[in-house]
Amino acid sequence: MKLAVIGYPIHHSKSPFMHNTWLQECGLKGSYEAFEVSPDQLREQVVDFEKENFTGYNVTIPHKENIIQYLDEIDASAAELGAVNTVVIRNGKSYGYNTDGHGFLKSLLTKRTAQEVKSSDILIVGAGGAAKGIAGSLHSFGAEKISIANRTVTKADQLIESHGLTGDSMDLAAAQEQIGRFDIIINTTSQGMYPHIHQEALDASEMKAGSLAADIIYNPLKTQYLKKAEAAGADILNGVGMFVFQGALAFEKWTDREPDTASMINKITQDMNQE
Ligand code: ATR
């Protein structure tokens, strides 16, 4: 079976390591390779994958939105987001999906029960593509109270409205004032990502003890936001789980097999610690 990831640039991706390990563990023949594809090569690459009988591939920055025009069909979650991260090829046709939001939800469920997620007062920080996917997945899962905080508050308003969320829309200053109120806070902004490790969208030092701080960033494994949250007595969840679960959901679509996510989270964490 032939699998791939396309992006531009792509050399730092941990997806080949993850999927090749899973292929081996499941005793499946095949390989997963990274392809550096520039925007002007995208259309041709989609056709090549179909012609060369690939089973499917992942799509990453900057192609998640642009690829949609070249696919035969996309599912409801990808359509709602306007972004695809996984393509499955069946009978020479390309079908697009988005597993990012669901991947985050699965990661969250390693730290909180379904009932806890549903009844928590949740704050999503950021209102870009990642926030949209996560808000959509949490909402369809049955999370009752989701608020959005964003630097540009009109984008938070739009997200609350488009998903019919019952929480509040606010700017970052308002979120900072109310920070002690939330049971779960999820950073979806790039603030704190390497090399900008001293940045943070919110100062988590006043988070409620026993609450949960989640970040979608995994480089570094512990962002400044997560460090402060931990010092305040909150539980923390970094972005490794989301990365692994979005990959596992893609792998299941291609192979019909359920890969070992827990050991992969450990492997990637160890790998990051050594870098
Ligand atoms: P993605 O698709 O990865 O979510 P994005 O769509 O570019 O990326 O969204 C980035 C998010 O990070 C946005 O919510 C953005 O806030 P704005 O909507 O106000 O642009 C947020 N963000 C980026 N830089 C930021 C900064 N310096 N401070 C606070 N928020 C920031």
Side-chain angles (χ1 to χ4, degrees):
M1 135 169 1
K2 291 197 271 189
L3 299 168
V5 55
I6 57 169
Y8 191 72
I10 193 71
H11 33 273
H12 291 306
S13 172
K14 299 203 183 296
S15 292
F17 164 73
M18 178 163 73
H19 287 280
N20 284 314
T21 303
W22 282 339
L23 283 169
Q24 264 184 8
E25 286 175 357
C26 293
L28 295 168
K29 280 204 181 122
S31 68
Y32 181 109
E33 270 180 76
F35 286 71
E36 187 153 278
V37 176
S38 66
D40 60 313
Q41 298 169 319
L42 182 60
R43 179 190 205 123
E44 206 180 325
Q45 187 62 57
V46 170
V47 176
D48 282 352
F49 281 137
E50 291 171 354
K51 280 194 196 145
E52 292 171 19
N53 292 315
F54 273 69
T55 301
Y57 52 96
N58 284 128
V59 183
T60 185
I61 293 166
H63 302 313
K64 288 187 180 192
E65 288 97 18
N66 283 335
I67 197 163
I68 291 177
Q69 59 189 314
Y70 307 128
L71 302 176
D72 293 289
E73 251 178 67
I74 59 171
D75 84 337
S77 66
E80 191 184 301
L81 278 174
V84 158
N85 80 332
T86 302
V87 175
V88 181
I89 301 172
R90 295 188 203 95
N91 301 320
K93 286 199 155 65
S94 299
Y95 300 87
Y97 302 87
N98 198 306
T99 66
D100 285 331
H102 192 192
F104 176 80
L105 173 63
K106 287 197 134 190
S107 176
L108 183 61
L109 289 170
T110 65
K111 292 280 177 192
R112 289 292 183 269
T113 66
Q115 197 42 53
E116 283 168 344
V117 170
K118 286 178 190 173
S119 60
S120 286
D121 194 352
I122 301 176
L123 177 69
I124 296 175
V125 183
K132 246 193 216 176
I134 288 169
S137 290
L138 288 173
H139 184 57
S140 16
F141 183 68
E144 283 156 16
K145 199 154 187 222
I146 305 170
S147 299
I148 314 276
N150 198 42
R151 178 177 61 179
T152 314
V153 77
T154 48
K155 284 211 248 164
D157 294 341
Q158 279 166 14
L159 196 44
I160 292 272
E161 253 175 57
S162 64
H163 284 86
L165 305 179
T166 54
D168 309 315
S169 162
M170 61 188 89
D171 60 20
L172 296 175
Q176 194 63 64
E177 272 173 29
Q178 301 173 47
I179 196 161
R181 158 191 149 189
F182 298 102
D183 305 306
I184 300 176
I185 300 182
I186 306 156
N187 174 52
T188 71
T189 74
S190 51
Q191 295 292 289
M193 195 192 297
Y194 180 84
H196 307 290
I197 57 167
H198 296 299
Q199 295 180 349
E200 57 191 11
L202 276 189
D203 178 339
S205 41
E206 302 291 320
M207 270 183 79
K208 181 162 65 182
S211 64
L212 175 70
D215 205 323
I216 68 168
I217 293 171
Y218 60 87
N219 184 17
L221 289 170
K222 213 183 268 183
T223 54
Q224 177 167 297
Y225 155 70
L226 291 185
K227 281 184 188 163
K228 286 191 182 175
E230 192 173 44
D235 301 325
I236 60 171
L237 174 67
N238 67 26
V240 174
M242 177 181 180
F243 172 69
V244 169
F245 282 107
Q246 65 73 33
L249 290 162
F251 189 86
E252 284 166 31
K253 288 187 190 303
W254 299 323
T255 65
D256 263 330
R257 302 285 292 272
E258 228 176 278
D260 186 342
T261 45
S263 80
M264 186 55 64
I265 289 171
N266 288 334
K267 286 188 176 98
I268 292 185
T269 302
Q270 275 173 18
D271 191 52
M272 297 291 306
N273 270 326
Q274 277 159 13
E275 268 181 20

